[in-house]
mmCIF file of all heavy atoms in Angstrom:
data_model
loop_
_atom_site.group_PDB
_atom_site.id
_atom_site.type_symbol
_atom_site.label_atom_id
_atom_site.label_comp_id
_atom_site.label_asym_id
_atom_site.label_seq_id
_atom_site.Cartn_x
_atom_site.Cartn_y
_atom_site.Cartn_z
ATOM 1 N N ALA A 1 73.021 134.268 85.731
ATOM 2 C CA ALA A 1 73.969 133.207 86.095
ATOM 3 C C ALA A 1 73.680 131.930 85.320
ATOM 4 O O ALA A 1 74.605 131.213 84.918
ATOM 5 C CB ALA A 1 73.903 132.939 87.599
ATOM 6 N N GLY A 2 72.395 131.647 85.080
ATOM 7 C CA GLY A 2 72.042 130.469 84.300
ATOM 8 C C GLY A 2 72.541 130.565 82.868
ATOM 9 O O GLY A 2 73.011 129.571 82.290
ATOM 10 N N VAL A 3 72.468 131.764 82.279
ATOM 11 C CA VAL A 3 72.992 131.957 80.922
ATOM 12 C C VAL A 3 74.497 131.773 80.909
ATOM 13 O O VAL A 3 75.060 131.120 80.011
ATOM 14 C CB VAL A 3 72.598 133.356 80.400
ATOM 15 C CG1 VAL A 3 73.274 133.639 79.062
ATOM 16 C CG2 VAL A 3 71.084 133.460 80.246
ATOM 17 N N THR A 4 75.169 132.331 81.917
ATOM 18 C CA THR A 4 76.626 132.179 81.997
ATOM 19 C C THR A 4 77.026 130.723 82.152
ATOM 20 O O THR A 4 77.946 130.225 81.484
ATOM 21 C CB THR A 4 77.170 133.001 83.176
ATOM 22 O OG1 THR A 4 76.812 134.380 82.997
ATOM 23 C CG2 THR A 4 78.683 132.885 83.266
ATOM 24 N N ARG A 5 76.305 130.010 83.022
ATOM 25 C CA ARG A 5 76.613 128.600 83.265
ATOM 26 C C ARG A 5 76.378 127.762 82.006
ATOM 27 O O ARG A 5 77.155 126.847 81.691
ATOM 28 C CB ARG A 5 75.751 128.074 84.407
ATOM 29 C CG ARG A 5 76.071 126.628 84.806
ATOM 30 C CD ARG A 5 75.142 126.132 85.895
ATOM 31 N NE ARG A 5 75.239 126.932 87.106
ATOM 32 C CZ ARG A 5 74.296 127.773 87.514
ATOM 33 N NH1 ARG A 5 73.170 127.914 86.814
ATOM 34 N NH2 ARG A 5 74.451 128.481 88.613
ATOM 35 N N ALA A 6 75.316 128.072 81.265
ATOM 36 C CA ALA A 6 75.004 127.285 80.071
ATOM 37 C C ALA A 6 76.059 127.450 78.982
ATOM 38 O O ALA A 6 76.261 126.553 78.161
ATOM 39 C CB ALA A 6 73.637 127.689 79.528
ATOM 40 N N GLY A 7 76.749 128.580 78.975
ATOM 41 C CA GLY A 7 77.750 128.814 77.946
ATOM 42 C C GLY A 7 79.129 128.278 78.268
ATOM 43 O O GLY A 7 80.039 128.388 77.435
ATOM 44 N N LEU A 8 79.313 127.698 79.443
ATOM 45 C CA LEU A 8 80.628 127.203 79.850
ATOM 46 C C LEU A 8 80.834 125.749 79.442
ATOM 47 O O LEU A 8 79.884 124.962 79.420
ATOM 48 C CB LEU A 8 80.794 127.323 81.377
ATOM 49 C CG LEU A 8 80.746 128.747 81.958
ATOM 50 C CD1 LEU A 8 80.824 128.687 83.477
ATOM 51 C CD2 LEU A 8 81.876 129.614 81.409
ATOM 52 N N LEU A 9 82.068 125.412 79.128
ATOM 53 C CA LEU A 9 82.430 124.019 78.887
ATOM 54 C C LEU A 9 82.624 123.304 80.214
ATOM 55 O O LEU A 9 82.950 123.944 81.228
ATOM 56 C CB LEU A 9 83.717 123.929 78.061
ATOM 57 C CG LEU A 9 83.612 124.269 76.568
ATOM 58 C CD1 LEU A 9 85.004 124.351 75.961
ATOM 59 C CD2 LEU A 9 82.764 123.244 75.836
ATOM 60 N N PRO A 10 82.464 121.972 80.253
ATOM 61 C CA PRO A 10 82.768 121.232 81.487
ATOM 62 C C PRO A 10 84.242 121.400 81.858
ATOM 63 O O PRO A 10 85.105 121.564 80.989
ATOM 64 C CB PRO A 10 82.442 119.779 81.128
ATOM 65 C CG PRO A 10 81.525 119.860 79.954
ATOM 66 C CD PRO A 10 81.926 121.093 79.199
ATOM 67 N N ASN A 11 84.540 121.349 83.129
ATOM 68 C CA ASN A 11 85.925 121.462 83.575
ATOM 69 C C ASN A 11 86.735 120.236 83.135
ATOM 70 O O ASN A 11 86.220 119.115 83.127
ATOM 71 C CB ASN A 11 85.991 121.590 85.103
ATOM 72 C CG ASN A 11 85.481 122.929 85.591
ATOM 73 O OD1 ASN A 11 85.683 123.950 84.939
ATOM 74 N ND2 ASN A 11 84.810 122.930 86.733
ATOM 75 N N PRO A 12 88.010 120.454 82.760
ATOM 76 C CA PRO A 12 88.859 119.300 82.421
ATOM 77 C C PRO A 12 89.166 118.466 83.662
ATOM 78 O O PRO A 12 89.056 118.946 84.802
ATOM 79 C CB PRO A 12 90.118 119.958 81.845
ATOM 80 C CG PRO A 12 90.140 121.321 82.434
ATOM 81 C CD PRO A 12 88.717 121.737 82.615
ATOM 82 N N THR A 13 89.533 117.235 83.425
ATOM 83 C CA THR A 13 89.828 116.300 84.519
ATOM 84 C C THR A 13 91.303 115.927 84.478
ATOM 85 O O THR A 13 91.841 115.570 83.422
ATOM 86 C CB THR A 13 88.979 115.026 84.382
ATOM 87 O OG1 THR A 13 87.594 115.387 84.388
ATOM 88 C CG2 THR A 13 89.260 114.046 85.515
ATOM 89 N N LEU A 14 91.943 116.005 85.623
ATOM 90 C CA LEU A 14 93.353 115.624 85.763
ATOM 91 C C LEU A 14 93.411 114.265 86.442
ATOM 92 O O LEU A 14 92.854 114.068 87.523
ATOM 93 C CB LEU A 14 94.115 116.669 86.588
ATOM 94 C CG LEU A 14 95.603 116.399 86.840
ATOM 95 C CD1 LEU A 14 96.382 116.417 85.510
ATOM 96 C CD2 LEU A 14 96.180 117.432 87.802
ATOM 97 N N ASP A 15 94.105 113.302 85.795
ATOM 98 C CA ASP A 15 94.233 111.945 86.330
ATOM 99 C C ASP A 15 95.697 111.663 86.661
ATOM 100 O O ASP A 15 96.608 111.999 85.883
ATOM 101 C CB ASP A 15 93.757 110.905 85.307
ATOM 102 C CG ASP A 15 92.289 111.076 84.977
ATOM 103 O OD1 ASP A 15 91.502 111.273 85.917
ATOM 104 O OD2 ASP A 15 91.933 111.029 83.776
ATOM 105 N N LEU A 16 95.900 111.029 87.796
ATOM 106 C CA LEU A 16 97.245 110.617 88.215
ATOM 107 C C LEU A 16 97.165 109.152 88.625
ATOM 108 O O LEU A 16 96.341 108.771 89.447
ATOM 109 C CB LEU A 16 97.749 111.478 89.376
ATOM 110 C CG LEU A 16 99.136 111.132 89.926
ATOM 111 C CD1 LEU A 16 100.210 111.341 88.855
ATOM 112 C CD2 LEU A 16 99.449 111.969 91.160
ATOM 113 N N GLU A 17 98.035 108.347 88.044
ATOM 114 C CA GLU A 17 98.042 106.907 88.331
ATOM 115 C C GLU A 17 99.476 106.478 88.623
ATOM 116 O O GLU A 17 100.404 106.826 87.883
ATOM 117 C CB GLU A 17 97.507 106.129 87.131
ATOM 118 C CG GLU A 17 97.489 104.625 87.342
ATOM 119 C CD GLU A 17 97.012 103.874 86.128
ATOM 120 O OE1 GLU A 17 96.344 104.486 85.262
ATOM 121 O OE2 GLU A 17 97.334 102.674 86.011
ATOM 122 N N ALA A 18 99.668 105.757 89.708
ATOM 123 C CA ALA A 18 100.998 105.268 90.086
ATOM 124 C C ALA A 18 100.897 103.789 90.453
ATOM 125 O O ALA A 18 99.915 103.355 91.080
ATOM 126 C CB ALA A 18 101.569 106.074 91.256
ATOM 127 N N GLY A 19 101.908 102.992 90.075
ATOM 128 C CA GLY A 19 101.920 101.575 90.396
ATOM 129 C C GLY A 19 103.317 101.115 90.816
ATOM 130 O O GLY A 19 104.327 101.701 90.408
ATOM 131 N N THR A 20 103.383 100.080 91.653
ATOM 132 C CA THR A 20 104.666 99.548 92.131
ATOM 133 C C THR A 20 104.586 98.020 92.192
ATOM 134 O O THR A 20 103.515 97.452 92.443
ATOM 135 C CB THR A 20 105.025 100.128 93.508
ATOM 136 O OG1 THR A 20 106.264 99.555 93.944
ATOM 137 C CG2 THR A 20 103.945 99.814 94.537
ATOM 138 N N GLY A 21 105.727 97.386 91.974
ATOM 139 C CA GLY A 21 105.805 95.939 92.068
ATOM 140 C C GLY A 21 106.303 95.451 93.399
ATOM 141 O O GLY A 21 106.582 94.255 93.568
ATOM 142 N N ALA A 22 106.473 96.334 94.373
ATOM 143 C CA ALA A 22 107.019 95.951 95.676
ATOM 144 C C ALA A 22 106.157 94.920 96.375
ATOM 145 O O ALA A 22 106.646 94.046 97.092
ATOM 146 C CB ALA A 22 107.177 97.192 96.552
ATOM 147 N N LEU A 23 104.849 95.002 96.159
ATOM 148 C CA LEU A 23 103.955 94.069 96.842
ATOM 149 C C LEU A 23 103.906 92.710 96.164
ATOM 150 O O LEU A 23 103.376 91.751 96.728
ATOM 151 C CB LEU A 23 102.539 94.666 96.896
ATOM 152 C CG LEU A 23 102.411 95.992 97.654
ATOM 153 C CD1 LEU A 23 100.983 96.497 97.595
ATOM 154 C CD2 LEU A 23 102.856 95.832 99.105
ATOM 155 N N THR A 24 104.457 92.611 94.967
ATOM 156 C CA THR A 24 104.434 91.334 94.226
ATOM 157 C C THR A 24 105.845 90.768 94.027
ATOM 158 O O THR A 24 106.050 89.876 93.198
ATOM 159 C CB THR A 24 103.770 91.546 92.864
ATOM 160 O OG1 THR A 24 104.489 92.533 92.123
ATOM 161 C CG2 THR A 24 102.314 91.981 93.030
ATOM 162 N N GLY A 25 106.809 91.314 94.764
ATOM 163 C CA GLY A 25 108.180 90.799 94.688
ATOM 164 C C GLY A 25 109.024 91.404 93.587
ATOM 165 O O GLY A 25 110.146 90.949 93.344
#
């Protein structure tokens, strides 16, 4: 399992960002 783990790439990261102007008028 250690050999298998060492050969793997890090998992990709999914980012989600949302913004609104409702709070600033």
Side-chain angles (χ1 to χ4, degrees):
V3 173
T4 302
R5 184 183 300 108
L8 298 176
L9 286 171
N11 289 324
T13 302
L14 179 64
D15 298 316
L16 179 63
E17 180 182 340
T20 179
L23 299 178
T24 59

